[in-house]
Amino acid sequence: MSQVIVSGIITGSLYALAALGLVLIFKTSDVVNFAQGEMAMFCTFIAYTFMTFIGLPYYIAFPLTIVCAGILGVIVYRLIIKPLSKTNVLSIMIATLGLIMILNGLAGNIFGFETKSFPKLINAKNINIFGVSLEPNSILIVLITLAIMLSLFFYFKTMEGIAIRAVAQDVDAAKLMGISVKRVTVTTWIISSMLAATAGMLIAPTKFLDINMMSEVHLKSFCAAVLGGFNTFIGPAVGGVLIGILENLVGKYISLAWKTVFAFVLIVVMLVVRPNGLCGKSYRKKV
Amino acid sequence: MKKILSILLTLILSISLLSGCGKQTKTTLAQGVEEKTIKVGTIGPTSGPIAIVGVPMLHGMQAYFNMVNDEGGINGRKIELIAKDDQFKPDLALQKAEELVEKDKVFAIVGQLGTPGCLGTLDYLKEKGIPAVYQGTGVSAFAKAKGNYFPVQPNYIFEGGLLVKYAIDNLKANSIAIIYGNDDAGKEELEGVKAQLKKMGKEDVLKAEVPFNTQDLDFSAHVQKAAEVKPDVTIVVGYQKAVPGILLEAKKQGFKTQFMTSYINADLTMLTLAKDAADGVIVTAWVPDITDPNNQAAKKFIETYKKYFPNETPNAFAAAGWVAAEVFVEGLKRAGNDLSWEGYIKAMETFNDWNDGIAKGITYTKDRRNGVEKMYFMKAVWDEKLPRFEKISDFVGLE
């Protein structure tokens, strides 16, 4: 039992990692970026290209990819978000749906359709704690997820973070306060793209690298964010880990064939009871 | 305006009806066959998730047809391949099949890929009677369809039986677990395993049946369930990415068993993804090892493929496309100038243990449409520099 719970935590932290970028964009602009997963996949392919075709070592390819991800964030902002910024939120969300197809098609044609293996952050022997077998790499992923979550949490307490939140609440008022709305929005897209790249590179060793590597993770990351609360940074982590554990427990003790269905039904029930998610605050607009 | 439009439509429809009548009374040549060309259609996912399989398979076919065309074609006719993308969706596949048959007027459907698409078009193509050579799926429906259907890939029921037979006869297994994908393919595989066990009177050997979903990411519960019964042999059948995931999880949990898996995974991809966790896994295979330097047919495939698609590595999917084209072209050669659909089908039914191509032992008669009926076993060997499969048996059948 402990093995499946621990595995659930690790898988769950992958969901959480993928969800953090989603939450960031949502919190700052009320937009759900459906293409977050595909951005992660695309960046992971960039990292793979750095390592195999240029032959860079992992520790150089990783930060380089993060830089590229930042550039991708700017491109997405300039080409899609900015031209649509005068329209409503829904149009932007639909545009991100289109971005899924663009990135997926591009990745397939540039990098190929074969499944590739992607190196782990650290390659060490499995360790055994109380009969639970653990990969050191997985522990590191959990730690990184926690670290990113906490730094985002504290970032939003700084002046810069408060500016971002101000823009989210009222663009015009924020402008009047002397906040550069354009700069703030582009910053969030850069950060969330970097988060996507990090998530992609950490997920790829488990899920293997191909153009669909994020499809399932992305969907579950949505659920993690919804379950935990879409407007918090702690929420996705809690939601992700819960989904991971729940799926495994249902699989082990009830039915493997129905485990995903079961987990999702529970989420629906949860949402009826607590629409803002487990950790979410109910959102009240001050008049 | 509406009236004119409807009159126009009726006219077009009635004319096309007439032209359809004309075709049937016309002599030997079927649609798609011209003096200098033969139009051939294929449907498969070349975008979306399964493009990983669809693109190399299409290129495998294209490479073979390019080679044939560069050598002057068949009886002076060059083969023109029209590929349609169905994104692995059965409704789209049917739409594309109709386009190919009715608009593009192809002579045959060759190397259609994907269980959903092939099943989705089964009724339509059967009704039309157009030759359908090679379905990129192992479900048994096409072997049962007969008539204009010529499957090549061995079907999953047959393979499941063969896997379990080998486990009991050669590996002396007393307990077997099966971890299977919860889809058509996995269920047929399970059906084959059970049928064979029943035939051998050893139903009690199967100790655990563990299904997994295609979207599963975490296999810890599956592996634990299988490990609980301490099986001598564990048969894992499912799509390409799930199996390495399961093997890695088994290694992590220290689950010791002899793993066996389907020919779907008889490809270096499994080894490069699962690395040492895949060491020693036994796989079935029906395409003789394409990396074997003594295999002349495979050598030709690799050389030709690299000539036309220099940036790609010829893998098992590409080989599958090649085989599809090869079997189709052999039928064309046999049919000579009798290129009506009936003539072609009759020519295909002369295949008797055909071994000239990459695939071996293909026999077609009026009611025998299993395609390849013999497979052999290989063992995966993990070696950092040279991951490979080693042949451990000859071609064996169920009899």
Side-chain angles (χ1 to χ4, degrees), chain A residues 40-150:
Chain A
M41 175 272 294
F42 200 85
C43 293
T44 315
F45 265 113
I46 293 178
Y48 181 83
T49 312
F50 279 143
M51 281 187 279
T52 46
F53 292 101
I54 305 178
L56 296 177
Y58 189 89
Y59 59 90
I60 296 178
F62 197 103
L64 257 184
T65 307
I66 301 284
V67 174
C68 290
I71 298 170
L72 178 70
V74 176
I75 295 174
V76 169
Y77 172 77
R78 298 290 300 194
L79 291 185
I80 294 169
I81 309 304
K82 193 158 167 264
L84 288 173
S85 60
K86 293 279 182 292
T87 64
N88 57 7
V89 172
L90 193 65
S91 312
I92 301 180
M93 286 206 251
I94 290 171
T96 65
L97 275 177
L99 191 60
I100 292 184
M101 287 167 207
I102 296 173
L103 287 177
N104 196 287
L106 269 180
N109 288 305
I110 299 175
F111 306 111
F113 293 99
E114 297 138 17
T115 310
K116 296 159 178 98
S117 73
F118 194 85
K120 289 174 185 165
L121 212 51
I122 42 170
N123 257 322
K125 274 224 159 85
N126 291 349
I127 41 177
N128 218 309
I129 309 166
F130 304 120
V132 177
S133 177
L134 272 174
E135 266 184 294
N137 189 54
S138 312
I139 304 172
L140 205 64
I141 290 177
V142 176
L143 292 178
I144 290 175
T145 311
L146 279 175
I148 293 177
M149 186 186 85
L150 288 176

Side-chain angles (χ1 to χ4, degrees), chain B residues 146-188:
Chain B
K146 303 198 175 73
N148 53 329
Y149 267 92
F150 295 93
V152 177
Q153 262 178 244
N155 63 61
Y156 299 129
I157 297 184
F158 166 81
E159 193 199 24
L162 200 65
L163 276 167
V164 79
K165 184 172 185 278
Y166 190 83
I168 290 174
D169 288 352
N170 299 57
L171 304 173
K172 311 282 176 235
N174 291 317
S175 55
I176 294 174
I178 175 165
I179 305 179
Y180 65 99
N182 199 12
D183 52 18
D184 286 344
K187 284 177 184 164
E188 282 205 346

